[in-house]
Structures are given as structure tokens and as C-alpha cells.
Amino acid sequence: MTRGTGPRLAVALDGAGWHPAAWRSEDARPTEVFKAGYWLDLVREAEAGTLDFVTFRDSLALPSDGVRGRLDAVLTAARVAPLTSGIGLVPEIVATHTEPFHLSKAIATLDYVSTGRGGVQVSVSSSPEEYRNFGRREFGEDISGEAADYIEVLRRLWDSWEDDAEIRDVATGRFIDREKLHYIDFEGRFFKVRGPSITPRPPQGQPLVTASSGVADSSVDVVYVTPQSREEIGALVEAQHGRQVFADLVVFLDETSQAAADRRARLDSLALLESDALVFTGTPAELAELLLAWHVAGLDGFRLRPAALPHDLTAITRGLVPELRSRGAFRKSYEAPTLRGLLGLDRPANRYVA
Amino acid sequence: MTKQQKQIHLAAHFPGVNNTTVWSDPEAGSHIEFSSFVKLAQTAERAKFDFFFLAEGLRLREQGGLIYDLDVVGRPDTFTVLAALAAVTSRLGLAGTINSTFNEPFEVARQFASLDHLSEGRAAWNVVTSWDAFTGENFRRGGFLPQDQRYSRAETFMRTAWELFDSWRADDLVADKATGQFLRGEPGRFEHHDEHFDIAGQFPVPRSPQGRPVIIQAGDSEEGREFAAATADAIFTRHGTLEAGQAFYSDVKGRLAKYGREHSQLIVLPAATFVLGDTDAEAHERADVVRRQQVSGQTAIKFLEQLWNADLSGFDPDGPLPAFDPVAGENTIAKGRASVRMYRDPLATARQWRELAEAKNLSIRELIIEVTGRQNFIGSPATVAGQINDFVQADASDGFILVPHVTPGGLDEFADKVVPLLQERGVFRTDYTGPTLRDHLGLTTPASPA
């Protein structure tokens, strides 16, 4: 058992980091954010630290601060997939303006190109800019429940092929057994989707579905929450019974607490960091203590948002991870070939198999 | 003085979900595992091909109300697999078929601009316009488009995407750490209002290495040819004979002048199949075997049903054609197939088929092999290299999109034996001369807006 009893660890990647002035740090590479090599370096660093997964932030509008511009997250994840081997890859998608049929096959394909390390973070659109970019819906329309419907369609489409649907039966001339392909016939308040998918069931059966708390809680495998203190954790976890609960934390990590605080102060003097998640400033050892305490309080894991890249990512992989390992609280190598496997989740049965 | 020889362009089509692809061959591998895509793409890059080509279909085909099970079924998401292939190739162009009916311009432009960045300038977009309600059942957009709006939506879709690609200048990204200026002004602004799209905002992807992806247009209709002449960088066709190819070639190239474009700005690339052998005789023997693999008795009956628009499951594929004529009206037998739409006049096609079958005394299966299965190039490597070069030098095309019939090794022999002969003749590159697909195709990169 290499995993120990500690928390699971993910990292959220976005631009030059989560502080809007992060791109002005000395070691930042802001113009390379639009090149594959930048993302490959970051994901390989995270993989060297045997993290469970990385998320790739996305939206369907131009970011209003920080790195002003963004590439498609699913494609960025797919671009790094063949050149990594152990870490989970979880791009964010916006359900509100996209087609669940397209995104279902996109995430299934991410699972194929990563041989079982694909997942998705489903979010909903909250900015009028995104509505105007698509021009199909009115901002302010009631979209409650749509993300849950969307995830239901993703999941049904992933199951719309049974695992053994491809038979290649030369004797009867049939490539597939069509009885093992299923129309999903989803009808909801927002859309209808007939199915089956054009893409066979992906390696994990169901790629990992994640979302921030409140988006579609009961539909997901991993919920991201933003506790501000240890006291809040019990109630947050209890509300998510059955789901794995990860806390989001923005992190500034340096060798001394003072250095981390100074670095934050420097960036804060350049731009204002507005954060829903708690901002941690300190040493990797201090963060390890906090994570272990919060883990004991009930959290399954953490999604750390590096305030500046690559600095705070490297501090996670080369500082925090060794701290956790030395406490027997984090894996030393990947113990499973799939993302679900890393999170201790089984490959789910297909809902359409009688 | 002899005319300078044209340089041939070659692309590799990943084997499709139709009966051209022989899945029953012992060499046939997975059609969905990524390793198959890697293998074919790396073979094409080793052979210095211009690009890798991926078709798309957004609903599984049906016949007689049942999912069609005789051919390969299942394929990946186009954008996602191309982005992954960018990681395991470094020069090969990456062309994806993306539908303009069941997508939105903002999203597709964002995806292609992203793919072009992530591949350092190797993205191409084959624009297609499927419109049917059958496919629409998979989409929230739903519905279908009246046929007369197909090209108008496709055209305005693409022009809108261009506006988005052109919304950033090449030097809009400043990222000056000292001053804190990230952008020059507010790039990406766009506004487009017409009967199809009502959008405005700010595009989030900086100008990509090729400015915009290479645009490929497939389509043989009058509107399709005009659309290609006006907007496309390459046109994907299916003209099999030299004469038909020449007629098409001169027709579409002739349309360019009125749009102020040169002949070299629209590359004509028919799809082509091939069978190689050590000798011409051996190749022809292999081709016969392949045709029979491609057209089983069951497949022949299914093909006939598509034209006849009727259930013919009781007919013997080794027997004669039905005595009655095709059923007129909307095709209710086959759904989600381009071939059905090809038969614009089923009665006339049936009459031709009947005459052919009677003249050559062909069974149903033999007839279908005759009318659908003929490979474009059959012969020894020297013969095939000669045929391909003759086609191109005779202005029947500028090259070919080759469709191997076996996944994923179906291009190996061509890469190993035919490509060196084309290189010896001086009509095909021995190495890439530039990093982008536009470089390979001899296309200029669209100028950045001032």
C-alpha cells in the first residue's frame, strides 16, 4: 500500500496561476500560455509529484483579468494526454451553451487518448458575455437543473454502447451486435437527445465527473467545496453524502511564511485577488498540517490552485508532496492505471446491460 | 522547354465507417483505440504527407430502422483526437471534418484556433453541411435546415468564424511584465447579425500560427463548387476518371478569377483508393479479393436497398436484380448516409444498373462490386506512382486524399514503395520545407489585420 491514509491531491491550472498579477512574476511565461509546451511542462511537473489529477480552467469568454486569452481546455488536455502516463486530466466545460452530444464524445475521446485518465468539470455560464458570444439564449433565463440534465446525457451516452458491442463476427458479417447499442432517448426541460453515441464506451466506462458544489451535486463523482475554516467542513461533507468532497484552496508556498506573505503582498499591490476559496500563505510543511487536519475533519481531498505558475506548482510537487509522503500520507508512485482507480472508484456497470 | 512538373499533394484519410474499410482482414486493428490513429498519422508523417484527414458523422447509420451493423461502427470526437495527434507528430497537417449545422461559430472558431496553436499551425477544417432531422435528434439545436438554407448557413457560419479568427492582430499579445499591459487595446471584438447568427463579444484566442485553419470544402453541387471557389483553400472531391477529374478541375479553377483568386489558391484533392502488388497482375488479383471483402452478399443487398428504397432482404445476392423499379419518394430505408443523397434520380440509376447487369450478366453482388467497389489505383508501385503523377500533371487533380482499406497499417506499403518513386521523379517532397500546413500546401498565410 503506497497510498497511505492521507488526502487525495489535485491541482487546478489556469493561465499563469490564480492571482491576476501572477503573469508578472519573474518566472512566469505569460505568452507561452498559448503553446502546448507550457501545459505539458506543468502537467509533467504535477505528474512527477504523483498528484491524482489536474483540472484545466475554461470559460466561453475572454478573461477580464490576468492572462487575457485562453485555449480550449478539452483540447489542451488532449494535447498533453499522449505525453503523460499516470495523472488524471480534467478539463472544464460550460454546459449552458454547448451540445452534450459533442462534449460526451469529446470526453470519451479524452479517455481514449489518455487510456483511462479522462474526466470533466462541468460548470454553468454566469456571465452575459458568454450568452452574447453564442446568441441563442437570454442571460437571466432560469437554467436551474440544466447541468444535471447535461451530465445525465453525458453519462447515458457513455453507456450507450455496451463494452462488448463490437463483435467483428466474420461468420455473420456483423461488426457490432446492434442489440448492445442503446438509444438514450433523453427528454428534459432544456433538450432532447436520441443517441446512441458515435463513440464506443470509453476505457473507464464513465470518465470522472466533477463540479463545484451547487452545480449538479447528486450527479457527480467529485464535488469541489470552498470551506473557509475547519469548522465548516463537517456540514459541507455531510451535504454531499456518497460523493468525494475536495476543498479548493489558493496557495502561496515558500520556504518561510514570511516569504510567502511577502510574495502575496507584492502581487496584491499589482492586482486584486478576488477568491471564493480560502487563500493559504505559508510553507509546504504548514500546508501539509492543514490538509491533514482538514482531511481528518472529513474531506476526501484537495484541489490546490497555485497562485502563480510554475512557482506554487513546483512548491506543491517538491515541497508539499514530500512533506505528506514523510508522514505516510501520500503515494510514492501511481498505484492504478486509470483516474477512477486512483480515486478508489470502481469501473461502473453499464446501466443498459440487462 | 518542358513544362515544369507540378508537385503532388498527398493526404491520409483515416479509414471510415463504410464498406471501403475491411474490418474482417486479419491485419485489421482497432478503429477506436488511439494507438491506431497514432500509427496511421506517424506513417503519413514519415512519408512526408501534407495532412491526416478525419471524416465525421454525428449519428450512427440506420437501415430499415435498425443500426447498420455490417461496416465499422464508432469513431472518436474529431477535435479531441486531432489535438492528441498533435502531440505525437510534428509536421503533419491535421484536418478535421466539422459540421456547420450542429455547431455554433464561436465554439468552432475557438476550437480550431486552439488546435492551430496546440499544433503550431497544422489545423485544417473540412466544412460540411449535413442538415437532416435524423442527425438533429442528437442535438439541442435539433430540427433541420431547409435545403435552400444549407449553403447560406454554412457560408455565413464560415465567414463568421473568419471574423473571429481575424479579430486579433498578430501583435495584440504584449504581456509586458514591467508595465502590466497584457493586450494591445481590446482585441477580439466582433459583432455579427444576420438571419442565422446574432452574436457580439470578444474572442478569447489570440491569432493562431496560420491566421486561420486551412479550409477544405467537400461538395460537388453547383452551390458547393461556388462556395469552394469563393472561400476554400482545398476542395475534396470524388471524381474517379481522368476525364471527369479534368472537367471538375477546370470548372472549379475557372471560378476563382471572379473572386480575385489564383489557381494555386484552391487545391483540388479527390479521395482515392489503391491496391498495390509486386506486379500489376498480382495487384489486380489482390484488388479482386479486396472488392469481395468490401462487398459481401449482405452488403450488396443493403446497397441495393438504398437505391431501391425497399426491403430486399428476401433477394439472393448471387441472383438477378429485382424486376420492379425503385420506390419513389423520400428514402425511408437508409438514414445517415451520404450515398443515399448521391442518388438524385434513383429510377435513372436503376435503369443504368439494370442495363449493365444484363450486358455483363452480373448478379446483384457482382453488379454492386462493379458500380461501387472499383479502386482508383491498382498496380505495382511503379504503375501506381505513374498513374498518380499522370493524373496530377494532366490537371485532373493537385493530388489525392488516400483512403487505405485496412486500419491502421493500410498506408505502410504506399509509404515504403510508392512515395520514394514519386520523390525520385521530383514530384513529391523529400522533406517538409516549413512548419505549417499552409507551407506544405503552398498557401500563403492570411495577413494579420492592420
Side-chain angles (χ1 to χ4, degrees), chain B residues 3-9 249 253 263-264 266-268 388-399 422 425-429:
Chain B
K3 187 184 162 196
Q4 198 187 347
Q5 293 196 101
K6 283 163 68 184
Q7 288 294 304
I8 296 171
H9 296 287
Y249 190 94
K253 297 255 181 179
H263 276 203
S264 62
L266 179 65
I267 294 168
V268 177
I388 286 176
N389 191 42
D390 289 348
F391 248 81
V392 172
Q393 304 309 335
D395 283 346
S397 81
D398 293 314
L422 294 172
R425 287 168 180 258
V427 292
F428 191 66
R429 70 176 68 83

Side-chain angles (χ1 to χ4, degrees), chain A residues 242-313:
Chain A
R243 255 71 55 192
Q244 294 197 11
V245 183
F246 280 47
D248 278 2
L249 290 172
V250 177
V251 295
F252 286 87
L253 296 171
D254 282 288
E255 281 181 22
T256 67
S257 310
Q258 191 58 49
D262 288 350
R263 194 160 54 84
R264 179 181 178 183
R266 205 158 53 241
L267 292 182
D268 281 347
S269 73
L270 299 172
L272 183 65
L273 169 65
E274 289 177 273
S275 179
D276 54 337
L278 184 71
V279 181
F280 175 88
T281 309
T283 67
E286 289 165 354
L287 180 59
E289 293 303 325
L290 180 135
L291 299 190
L292 291 173
W294 284 24
H295 177 52
V296 169
L299 290 167
D300 297 284
F302 298 89
R303 181 173 66 162
L304 303 178
R305 304 179 188 171
L309 292 168
H311 181 100
D312 293 300
L313 172 63

Side-chain angles (χ1 to χ4, degrees), chain A residues 24-26 28 58 68-70 72 79 95 99 102 105 109 146 168 172 175 178 183 194-195 198-199, chain B residues 29 57 62 67 69 71 74-75 77 87 102-104 110 114 118 137-138 140-141 177-178 186 204 298:
Chain A
R24 299 179 67 179
S25 303
E26 205 173 318
D58 209 352
R68 301 206 54 213
R70 192 178 267 141
D72 182 273
R79 177 64 176 79
E99 291 282 356
H102 285 317
K105 64 184 163 63
T109 302
E146 188 179 21
R168 295 187 183 229
T172 61
F175 183 79
R178 66 162 75 97
Y183 295 100
R194 176 95 165 108
I198 62 164
T199 307
Chain B
E62 292 184 4
I67 291 169
D69 60 2
D71 295 338
R75 42 179 147 203
D77 178 69
F102 302 108
N103 282 298
E104 297 301 324
R110 202 176 80 97
S114 297
L118 293 168
E137 287 178 358
N138 280 337
R140 67 159 84 207
R141 190 182 182 284
K177 289 182 185 179
E186 285 293 327
Q298 291 157 287

Side-chain angles (χ1 to χ4, degrees), chain B residues 42-91:
Chain B
Q42 291 185 339
T43 302
E45 183 163 270
R46 172 166 64 82
K48 315 299 179 195
F49 274 36
D50 294 69
F51 60 92
F52 174 95
F53 183 94
L54 204 56
E56 184 182 54
L58 297 172
R59 173 114 187 231
L60 299 184
R61 296 177 304 157
E62 292 184 4
Q63 190 151 339
L66 297 170
I67 291 169
Y68 193 81
D69 60 2
L70 301 180
D71 295 338
V72 169
V73 186
R75 42 179 147 203
D77 178 69
T78 301
F79 281 118
T80 311
V81 81
L82 292 181
L85 285 175
V88 294
T89 55
S90 59
R91 285 290 178 265

